[in-house]
Amino acid sequence: MQQDKIQHHSINYLEIPVKDIVRTKAFFGDVFNWQFEDYGPEYSCFINVGISGGFFVSDKSFATAQGCPLIVIYSAQLEQTEAEVLKAGGRISQPIFSFPGGRRFHFFDPNENEYAVWSE
């Protein structure tokens, strides 16, 4: 199988700090149906999610209030995804609101990392 050529100077990979790899994989697997490939007990890649990346063990977390970038995930069913985030142990930090281009909500995962989910 031939891979697409990687575009020069493109954002190619994200590495995300997490306190608990097992719990993180369960959360993102349950809510977003993500799949993973492990590279030892302290690193796991998420695959086929729109961008390549991985989770690494760290005692750090990130949030926009700290000036960190916001990772935004798309959902075709925003209300259902919000309910799934809560069911899997996430915490809503900003309930669904409108913005130019759509609607979204923000949440903290079980590691206290902040993400957003948007829809048209």
Side-chain angles (χ1 to χ4, degrees):
M1 178 172 126
Q2 183 179 354
Q3 292 185 358
D4 293 333
K5 184 176 179 182
I6 297 172
Q7 183 179 349
H8 183 62
H9 290 170
S10 65
I11 295 174
N12 179 252
Y13 200 86
L14 297 174
E15 291 194 327
I16 301 171
V18 298
K19 297 172 183 166
D20 185 330
I21 290 272
V22 173
R23 190 170 178 198
T24 300
K25 287 171 45 181
F27 178 84
F28 284 91
D30 290 347
V31 175
F32 300 106
N33 202 30
W34 287 10
Q35 297 177 343
F36 304 92
E37 185 172 336
D38 295 336
Y39 292 92
E42 296 189 354
Y43 197 91
S44 185
C45 290
F46 41 85
I47 52 177
N48 300 320
V49 303
I51 189 167
S52 297
F55 295 117
F56 66 94
V57 173
S58 171
D59 64 347
K60 306 292 183 200
S61 59
F62 58 86
T64 57
Q66 300 166 335
C68 297
L70 180 64
I71 298 172
V72 183
I73 302 165
Y74 177 78
S75 172
Q77 300 172 330
L78 198 61
E79 288 81 5
Q80 181 178 342
T81 302
E82 185 182 45
E84 290 295 322
V85 164
L86 290 170
K87 181 180 173 185
R91 181 171 58 86
I92 303 301
S93 55
Q94 291 185 44
I96 295 173
F97 63 94
S98 295
F99 70 98
R103 299 179 313 131
R104 73 184 197 196
F105 68 90
H106 292 207
F107 72 93
F108 288 99
D109 74 357
N111 301 285
E112 287 300 306
N113 289 331
E114 184 180 18
Y115 298 83
V117 179
W118 85 280
S119 188
E120 285 105 0

